[in-house]
Amino acid sequence: MDDEEKIARGVARGIARHEAARAEAQVRQMLGCLLLFAVLGVGFILLVTYGN
């Protein structure tokens, strides 16, 4: 295997790691937004049910 193939594999591996990290960050952000939406929904239901 020559140096160009090693470099190409290293670049491909780095891009794959970057894409995996980006996808993981997007999942965390989505779950955080869903959690916030759920908390606000429960708060609104409690406000409507027990609020004066």
Side-chain angles (χ1 to χ4, degrees):
M1 178 170 19
D2 61 354
D3 289 338
E4 288 182 13
E5 289 179 14
K6 288 180 183 178
I7 292 170
R9 283 187 181 186
V11 169
R13 198 169 26 246
I15 290 172
R17 286 181 185 163
H18 175 73
E19 287 297 317
R22 188 181 58 78
E24 192 174 310
Q26 280 184 330
V27 168
R28 277 196 306 268
Q29 183 180 11
M30 185 184 71
L31 289 176
C33 289
L34 285 174
L35 178 62
L36 179 63
F37 184 70
V39 168
L40 291 175
V42 169
F44 178 76
I45 291 169
L46 291 174
L47 179 67
V48 169
T49 303
Y50 298 111
N52 290 328

